[in-house]
Structure formats: C-alpha cells, structure tokens
Amino acid sequence: MRRTAQLWTLMAALVAAAFALRTLVLIDATALWSDELYSVGKSFQPSPLELLGMLRQDTHPPLYYGLLWFWGQLVGQSPVSLRLLSWLAYLGGGAVMVAQAVALSDGRQRVLPLALLLAFCSPYPVRFAIEGKSYALLVLLVALAWWWRRAERTVPYGVMAGLAGLTHFYGLFLMLAAVAWDGARRRWRLAGAAFLGA
C-alpha cells in the first residue's frame, strides 16, 4: 500500500513538474496584451520617483508594481522578465498550497498527489503564471496568509493580509471577509490581525 502511494506521488510530481516547465516555456510564447502593457507602463519607469509619480495616478494597489520595478532593475525590463516574476510566484504559491494540504491531511497519503496536481496543473494557476499581472503574487500571499492563520501566528498572518491587500483589491476583500468570519466565530486575535493588515 505504501509503495502504491509513493508511486502515485512520484507520478503526480512528474506531471506537476512537466506543467511548471511547460508554463515556463509559455512565458515568451505570445506578445504582451493590454493589461500587461499597463503593468509595463506603470512599473518599468527609469527611477523610483517616476514610479511613485505613475502610481499616484493609478487606482490599483501599489505593491506589485513596486516589486516589479525592483525586479526589472535586478534582471532587466523585458516581456520575459515581466512574466518570469509571475512564474516564480506560481511556483511559490503552489509549494505553499501543497504544504498546507499536507499539513491539513493528518498524514493521509492520497492528499499529496492530489494537492500537487491541483496546485500546479489547474487552469487558473497556469494562466496566472504566464501573465505579467499581480494574480500569481496574490495567490502566493493569500496562501501564506492562510498558512499563518492556520498556525494562529497573528503577526505573520497580519503582515501577509496587509501585503495581499496592497497587491490587489481581491486580496483586501478576501482579508476583510476573513475578518468577518473570524469575528463571527469570536476568534478575536485572528480577526484583529487580518483587520490591522487590511
């Protein structure tokens, strides 16, 4: 029985790795589309002051664009580097989701292969991994927030909640929903941490 579980895990890991590598190849398969061009226009500024000037005129939360500016300074400002940041966030988010599933499984062997396939092979994570937008980073930050929430570590949970809210409005609304949920259940420490983060 244990060998069968190991075989399923190995097969799922190989499929997940194949998806991740195929996704990496796809980051340069198409031209940038309009929303990605907005990301470039906002983030690939020549200086931090010009970046701040651009972000003052924007309605979106600033964290992704600031991170993208620093990333561009580090590896170069190109369509590939724009999408590579999303691909790395996809890997990180997938790893955190798999770790979370295993931690919640109480040692059940079937969970790991399924978690690998869902985290790395589902359409949305793959799509987010090849777009120069903030969605893959948001998935990573929300996954980290849930990790710390489950561990009831309020400081890192609040920090991740804040970072998720600064990345995309969906992150902010999700954290506020968690505040309402935990408040309704009288888990005041968790509700307070997410509220402060939001």
Side-chain angles (χ1 to χ4, degrees):
M1 183 71 154
R2 186 174 176 88
R3 284 182 59 93
T4 304
Q6 289 174 339
L7 182 62
W8 280 112
T9 300
L10 177 62
M11 289 173 49
L14 290 173
V15 169
F19 264 78
L21 291 174
R22 176 67 177 143
T23 303
L24 178 60
V25 171
L26 290 175
I27 66 172
D28 195 27
T30 61
L32 296 178
W33 62 290
S34 60
D35 275 1
E36 290 177 309
L37 291 171
Y38 289 127
S39 294
V40 167
K42 286 183 253 189
S43 300
F44 287 174
Q45 298 295 317
S47 73
L49 289 177
E50 291 183 58
L51 172 69
L52 288 175
M54 181 63 79
L55 292 177
R56 277 193 207 108
Q57 301 170 11
D58 192 46
T59 59
H60 294 88
L63 180 67
Y64 172 72
Y65 303 107
L67 180 62
L68 190 56
W69 184 86
F70 283 109
W71 176 253
Q73 299 303 305
L74 182 66
V75 300
Q77 298 175 336
S78 72
V80 172
S81 68
L82 172 74
R83 290 174 174 168
L84 184 60
L85 181 62
S86 293
W87 184 79
L88 292 171
Y90 153 77
L91 290 182
V96 173
M97 287 187 281
V98 169
Q100 181 80 300
V102 169
L104 291 170
S105 72
D106 296 327
R108 286 178 283 207
Q109 298 290 323
R110 294 178 286 214
V111 170
L112 181 56
L114 185 59
L116 282 165
L117 295 174
L118 288 174
F120 290 101
C121 306
S122 296
Y124 284 115
V126 168
R127 178 69 186 168
F128 295 160
I130 60 173
E131 285 190 358
K133 295 297 294 170
S134 61
Y135 304 120
L137 178 62
L138 178 64
V139 169
L140 170 61
L141 293 172
V142 169
L144 285 168
W146 291 156
W147 177 268
W148 294 119
R149 181 180 178 275
R150 185 189 63 77
E152 296 190 20
R153 300 278 306 277
T154 54
V155 171
Y157 174 46
V159 168
M160 290 303 123
L163 293 175
L166 285 170
T167 299
H168 199 285
F169 288 123
Y170 290 142
L172 175 64
F173 298 141
L174 186 59
M175 292 303 118
L176 290 175
V179 169
W181 177 263
D182 285 327
R185 298 239 184 272
R186 299 176 190 235
R187 294 185 288 225
W188 303 118
R189 289 181 61 232
L190 292 173
F195 181 75
L196 288 174

